[in-house]
């Protein structure tokens, strides 16, 4: 128990007579990085809030064997305050005890990193959802907690901001800060976590990715005379689903036939994962 930071014993949650999460036991070790995955509405945000102590479980208890750690919590939906962005961040930094001069510098640097410098003196009520989410990320990064709880942190984020976020969270991991993240973006869970857990039909279990996957190839070609079997029109181009086993050879053949590969992704089906 020396490195155990959070211990959940027989924890469950019921809303309006409906069981969202059935009783389970779980322990989070210091310095670990885990993802909680699952479909929207499965209970991911609820579990993050229980870990943060923001809501109480219906049954069971949460304990901190080595004393309650310092948490930073980033909610899925970041609601604006009547303050200007800079004022808000300064107040949150003061709560964390950051010296004023250091705090001012951190705000400037992080705002630049996440491309929101122009909004520092704008009322938060006027910010878009994506910009508000960036402000929430900046708030969480102002100081280094012992545990970082992140609920869908990249909702509405642009690609460049995602790269910055991944880099900064991995720096925290290197320092031994515990990361718990709720999300459905495979790119994020792969980049930031060591283990994944799924809430599926109310049950919390370790999640193992399917070994066989299907990839979606996004393709373009000038002067298309004939569309290969299985390919379909997709936006201004075409798409084709291929199995993981045949992806390499299929891409090579398409390139030789004059097709251009514009993108490639796969969609995770949580219901099909091996548990």
């Amino acid at each position: 128990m020396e490195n155990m930071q959070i211990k959940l014993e027989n924890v469950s949650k019921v809303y309006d007579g409906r069981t969202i999460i059935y009783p389970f036991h779980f322990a989070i070790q210091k310095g670990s990085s885990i993802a909680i995955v699952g479909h929207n509405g499965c209970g991911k945000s609820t579990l993050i809030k229980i870990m943060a102590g923001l809501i109480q479980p219906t049954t069971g208890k949460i304990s901190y064997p080595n004393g309650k750690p310092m948490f930073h919590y980033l909610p899925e939906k970041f609601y604006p305050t009547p303050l200007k962005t800079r004022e808000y961040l300064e107040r949150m930094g003061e709560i964390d005890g950051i010296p004023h001069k250091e705090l001012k510098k951190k705000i400037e640097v992080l705002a630049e990193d996440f491309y929101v410098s122009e909004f520092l003196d704008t009322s938060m009520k006027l910010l878009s959802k994506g910009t508000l989410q960036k402000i929430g990320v900046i708030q969480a990064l102002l100081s280094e907690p012992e545990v970082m709880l992140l609920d869908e942190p990249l909702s509405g984020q642009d690609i460049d901001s995602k790269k910055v976020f991944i880099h900064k969270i991995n720096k925290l991991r290197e320092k031994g800060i515990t990361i718990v993240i709720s999300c459905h973006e495979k790119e994020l869970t792969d980049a930031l976590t060591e283990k994944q857990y799924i809430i599926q039909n109310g049950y919390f279990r370790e999640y193992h990715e399917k070994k066989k996957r299907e990839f979606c190839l996004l393709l373009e070609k000038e002067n298309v005379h004939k569309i290969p079997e299985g390919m379909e029109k997709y936006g201004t181009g075409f798409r084709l689903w291929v199995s993981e086993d045949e992806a390499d050879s299929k891409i090579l053949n398409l390139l030789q036939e004059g097709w251009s590969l514009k993108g490639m992704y796969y969609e995770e089906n949580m219901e099909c994962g091996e548990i």
Side-chain angles (χ1 to χ4, degrees):
M1 290 181 57
E2 182 179 348
N3 292 320
M4 190 183 299
Q5 280 187 312
I6 306 173
K7 186 178 182 181
L8 297 91
E9 301 175 87
N10 202 40
V11 165
S12 71
K13 189 63 181 178
V14 177
Y15 280 122
D16 297 326
R18 175 173 169 254
T19 301
I20 305 299
I21 303 172
Y22 287 102
F24 73 99
H25 301 272
F26 189 57
I28 299 176
Q29 303 295 321
K30 185 180 187 308
S32 60
S33 53
I34 69 169
I36 302 170
V37 300
H39 295 305
N40 290 339
C42 72
K44 300 190 301 293
S45 296
T46 296
L47 182 53
I48 289 283
K49 290 175 182 176
I50 289 174
M51 290 181 180
L54 297 175
I55 60 175
Q56 294 297 312
T58 303
T59 66
K61 67 175 183 177
I62 301 176
S63 59
Y64 311 100
N66 295 292
K68 188 171 183 178
M70 177 185 176
F71 287 103
H72 275 189
Y73 166 67
L74 177 63
E76 178 183 8
K77 294 180 180 178
F78 192 75
Y79 295 99
T81 73
L83 299 173
K84 292 182 179 179
T85 302
R86 191 191 307 273
E87 294 172 338
Y88 170 77
L89 292 172
E90 286 177 349
R91 292 192 184 184
M92 298 308 294
E94 289 167 0
I95 291 173
D96 279 349
I98 305 172
H100 181 72
K101 187 175 181 180
E102 178 185 344
L103 174 59
K104 184 177 178 181
K105 179 65 175 176
K106 281 189 172 183
I107 291 172
E108 295 284 349
V109 170
L110 286 168
E112 185 174 347
D113 287 343
F114 286 96
Y115 313 100
V116 294
S117 297
E118 63 185 293
F119 301 112
L120 283 178
D121 296 308
T122 301
S123 169
M124 294 178 68
K125 292 283 188 180
L126 302 177
L127 301 181
S128 68
K129 176 187 175 183
T131 303
L132 281 172
Q133 198 70 10
K134 289 184 183 182
I135 303 306
V137 169
I138 290 173
Q139 173 202 323
L141 293 171
L142 284 175
S143 63
E144 295 180 358
E146 294 174 82
V147 179
M148 185 80 82
L149 299 174
L150 304 164
D151 190 0
E152 300 289 356
L154 296 187
S155 175
Q157 296 297 302
D158 54 81
I159 293 175
D160 288 336
S161 294
K162 288 181 179 181
K163 291 179 180 177
V164 173
F165 177 82
I166 289 171
H167 172 74
K168 290 187 178 295
I169 296 300
N170 274 326
K171 286 295 183 183
L172 295 180
R173 290 176 63 197
E174 290 174 6
K175 294 181 179 181
I177 292 171
T178 304
I179 306 294
V180 181
I181 184 169
S182 159
C183 74
H184 58 271
E185 296 178 278
K186 187 71 170 59
E187 170 195 6
L188 193 59
T189 57
D190 283 348
L192 296 179
T193 62
E194 301 162 336
K195 281 191 174 183
Q196 298 179 29
Y197 297 84
I198 188 171
I199 301 176
Q200 189 177 51
N201 300 321
Y203 293 97
F204 180 87
R205 301 186 178 102
E206 187 170 352
Y207 173 73
H208 299 284
E209 182 184 354
K210 287 177 63 180
K211 293 182 179 179
K212 298 291 184 181
R213 299 176 290 184
E214 276 200 332
F215 289 88
C216 180
L217 310 181
L218 304 180
L219 302 147
E220 286 185 359
K221 184 181 181 183
E222 294 184 7
N223 303 319
V224 177
H225 299 295
K226 183 179 180 181
I227 301 175
E229 183 179 356
M231 189 180 291
E232 60 183 351
K233 190 71 178 172
Y234 189 75
T236 58
F238 299 84
R239 72 175 179 180
L240 176 67
W241 286 95
V242 297
S243 69
E244 185 175 18
D245 292 339
E246 65 175 348
D248 289 343
S249 60
K250 194 68 176 180
I251 291 171
L252 180 60
N253 290 337
L254 288 166
L255 292 176
Q256 291 174 341
E257 292 171 5
W259 289 89
S260 298
L261 182 64
K262 297 302 181 181
M264 178 176 175
Y265 70 92
Y266 70 91
E267 294 180 354
E268 188 68 36
N269 181 355
M270 295 302 178
E271 297 292 348
C272 298
E274 298 173 1
I275 297 176

